[in-house]
Amino acid sequence: MTAPLWTAAEVAKATQGIGSQNFHASGVSIDSRTIEPGDLFLAIKGPNQDGHDYLPQVAARKAAAAIVRRGAIVPAGLPFLEVEDTRQALYALGQAARARSTARIAAVTGSVGKTSAKEMLRLVLAEQGSCHGSAGNLNNEWGLPLSLARMPAASRFAVFEIGMNHAGEIRPLSRLARPHVAIVTTVEAVHLEFFNSVAEIADAKAEIFEGIEPGGAAVLNRDNPWYDRLVETAKRQGVARIVGFGKNPAADARLLSTAAAAAGMDVQAALFGARIDYRIGATGQHWAMNSLAVLAAAKLLGADLEAAARALAGATALPGRGAQRSLPIAGGSLLLIDDSYNASPVSVAAALDVLASLKPGSGGRRIAVLGDMLELGPNAESLHAGLAPEIAGKPIDLVFLAGSLMGKLGEVLPKKLVARHEPNTSALAPHVTAALRPGDAVLVKGSLGSKMSIIVRAIEALAIAAKAG
Ligand SMILES: Nc1ncnc2c1ncn2[C@@H]1O[C@H](COP(=O)(O)OP(=O)(O)O)[C@@H](O)[C@H]1O
Ligand SMILES: [Mg+2]
């Protein structure tokens, strides 16, 4: 039997909770909808919901126990601990998980590519020892302590994603995670809504250095214009080692070249002075860049570099983050690039690069279906129009646009490129599906709030109809 994640005594000690029943928890949850049998549930009061209202469901789903505020009414049969503040209890549990851990720990932040790089690092580390990691996109004030609290005591490695919308958010999270290695994937004009400048964004990312363990390392994008500023802050914070990745000849993890390969791409690189070649199961320069940060971090965490590089062959783009699928349609098939989860100027440019590098099937075209990039602040319109050279300068045949901001792009693109612009994806979807033909390569990209998944589902429905017919 594997050791329980938490015993009642350990939880009581960590959270200073008061309760008398014994239990063993195999997981930790703050969401009654996704709670698993055996989980420890923390009843948290959020802006809209109060977890205390869901304790009957939590009991019915066979939670091991609940942490509740003093005086809460708990259903019979559900062991519980009372605390002053359940949110603090979550932090305390994360802190206790960190304190007892001997894992080598990485934290990943950056304007774009956090989840992609985190998953890639998990993939390569998991082959070399038990590796814990944040699930999905759990990177904020709730997600990070929760992810820490879920870390098994015996983990050899752990990888946490840390995100932010405002200055001051990353500092406490990094101090909680206390990483040995912190990656900043890149600094870009993303989430500008709550910042006056990209310099401020760089400084907010740099807060991650404050949590780095003594003797630890920062892995930074050598090609990014904010590199020097980040290095300065890292040094000021006493970060022992700074490792740059990128194309810059001075980069410690240096990209030499990439070439398209059967299922992904071949990368030639130099890491810490030694040549290393490997295959990644995904295409795009941004993947090559992320892989360099991942390999540098893996090495700094004590993993075997050659084995880590070999494992990258299994790294594929995640659903909604560039995953490619061949789908049957009447008369043949098309290639769908599903990048419907997230969009910012830098990630749209990266996705358009991928589209341009793909070879459509016979008779097929390269088609981009783009939805609004959200949270860009006051320059949102010009940032949308600014995508025009990224499209017009590439072998892209047709563009479909959804949303008022993408309308600004439509105004400046050559008219023959713009097949259709609609205010939203529901209105756009039938125009896209009507235009598609065998051999097409179709990129679907936009912010989550732009509901690009409606387009993805409409294209999938074509495929299902083709199969049935
Ligand atoms: N280094 C990078 N540069 C540009 N775009 C990237 C990079 N890494 C990933 N992307 C793309 O950015 C989008 C968001 O990726 P994701 O990993 O979810 O980022 P985050 O977790 O930072 O929001 C995806 O379309 C992904 O393919
Ligand atoms: Mg993410």
Side-chain angles (χ1 to χ4, degrees):
M1 199 188 117
T2 51
L5 182 63
W6 293 105
T7 65
E10 288 165 345
V11 176
K13 181 159 181 251
T15 63
Q16 297 177 350
I18 310 227
S20 55
Q21 300 118 311
N22 195 24
F23 62 84
H24 282 177
S26 51
V28 181
S29 172
I30 59 173
D31 186 339
S32 62
R33 292 163 305 177
T34 54
I35 192 166
E36 299 277 341
D39 276 359
L40 169 66
F41 177 75
L42 285 98
I44 296 207
K45 189 169 168 17
N48 307 311
Q49 303 274 355
D50 185 346
H52 294 90
D53 297 340
Y54 297 90
L55 290 172
Q57 286 90 323
V58 166
R61 281 171 164 257
K62 303 212 165 15
I67 296 185
V68 298
R69 69 169 164 257
R70 224 180 289 297
I73 295 167
V74 182
L78 177 63
F80 66 94
L81 290 167
E82 289 186 322
V83 297
E84 206 59 60
D85 179 337
T86 53
R87 180 182 173 161
Q88 261 169 27
L90 177 62
Y91 271 73
L93 206 56
Q95 207 164 29
R98 179 64 186 91
R100 73 182 180 181
S101 176
T102 55
R104 296 282 292 164
I105 293 179
V108 185
T109 194
S111 298
V112 69
K114 293 180 290 298
T115 301
S116 304
K118 181 233 349 166
E119 289 300 329
M120 207 187 226
L121 185 52
R122 282 182 77 175
L123 175 86
V124 308
L125 293 174
E127 287 201 356
Q128 305 199 24
S130 63
C131 180
H132 175 67
S134 320
N137 199 39
L138 286 179
N139 65 19
N140 64 7
E141 54 182 331
W142 307 109
L144 189 269
L146 180 62
S147 300
L148 269 172
R150 287 171 169 174
M151 174 166 60
S155 302
R156 190 167 150 221
F157 301 106
V159 187
F160 297 104
E161 175 170 341
I162 301 186
M164 61 108 187
N165 290 314
H166 300 88
E169 287 175 352
I170 288 182
R171 180 176 298 114
L173 300 182
S174 181
R175 286 189 173 156
L176 200 60
R178 292 197 282 117
H180 301 98
V181 176
I183 299 176
V184 182
T185 58
T186 186
V187 175
E188 305 284 346
V190 172
H191 297 302
L192 259 175
E193 206 167 28
F194 302 111
F195 291 91
N196 295 312
S197 66
V198 186
E200 280 184 15
I201 294 183
D203 293 344
K205 306 285 179 210
E207 292 172 18
I208 199 167
F209 304 142
E210 297 180 36
I212 295 180
E213 285 283 88
V219 177
L220 306 176
N221 188 330
R222 192 72 185 71
D223 300 341
N224 187 263
W226 303 98
Y227 175 77
D228 290 336
R229 190 175 177 113
L230 291 180
V231 168
E232 231 170 77
T233 316
K235 284 189 174 152
R236 218 170 36 240
Q237 295 294 340
V239 175
R241 185 149 183 211
I242 292 162
V243 168
F245 67 92
K247 292 182 185 150
N248 190 307
D252 307 280
R254 183 178 169 202
L255 182 62
L256 300 173
S257 64
T258 58
M265 103 191 123
D266 287 326
V267 180
Q268 289 79 43
L271 263 105
F272 305 110
R275 254 308 283 277
I276 184 161
D277 296 351
Y278 52 92
R279 177 163 295 183
I280 309 179
T283 41
Q285 287 297 301
H286 56 305
W287 279 94
M289 288 291 281
N290 292 350
S291 75
L292 292 170
V294 162
L295 289 181
K299 171 89 181 153
L300 291 162
L301 290 171
D304 179 78
L305 189 55
E306 300 280 337
R310 275 197 304 278
L312 288 174
T316 50
L318 309 172
R321 294 181 176 89
Q324 297 181 17
R325 275 182 291 164
S326 173
L327 296 175
I329 60 166
S333 67
L334 59 73
L335 182 69
L336 172 65
I337 310 165
D338 176 3
D339 216 330
S340 56
Y341 183 76
N342 207 326
S344 56
V346 60
S347 74
V348 174
L352 290 167
D353 272 343
V354 171
L355 178 64
S357 73
L358 293 171
K359 238 179 106 57
S362 130
R365 304 149 299 174
R366 296 186 188 90
I367 300 174
V369 185
L370 303 176
D372 285 355
M373 306 178 288
L374 305 176
E375 299 176 9
L376 289 179
N379 295 328
E381 290 190 351
S382 63
L383 288 168
H384 281 76
L387 289 173
E390 297 288 346
I391 295 170
K394 294 195 174 99
I396 289 171
D397 302 292
L398 271 188
V399 181
F400 289 84
L401 302 169
S404 58
L405 290 167
M406 277 299 169
K408 295 293 160 192
L409 173 59
E411 285 170 16
V412 294
L413 275 177
K415 287 285 160 282
K416 63 176 193 336
L417 271 183
V418 184
R420 191 87 196 181
H421 172 244
E422 291 288 343
N424 57 55
T425 49
S426 303
L428 186 66
H431 297 286
V432 174
T433 50
L436 293 179
R437 57 188 199 218
D440 284 344
V442 190
L443 164 71
V444 180
K445 179 134 183 107
S447 287
L448 194 60
S450 297
K451 302 210 169 97
M452 302 312 289
S453 55
I454 290 176
I455 307 275
V456 170
R457 282 201 298 274
I459 297 175
E460 285 168 349
L462 273 188
I464 290 164
K467 257 190 193 149

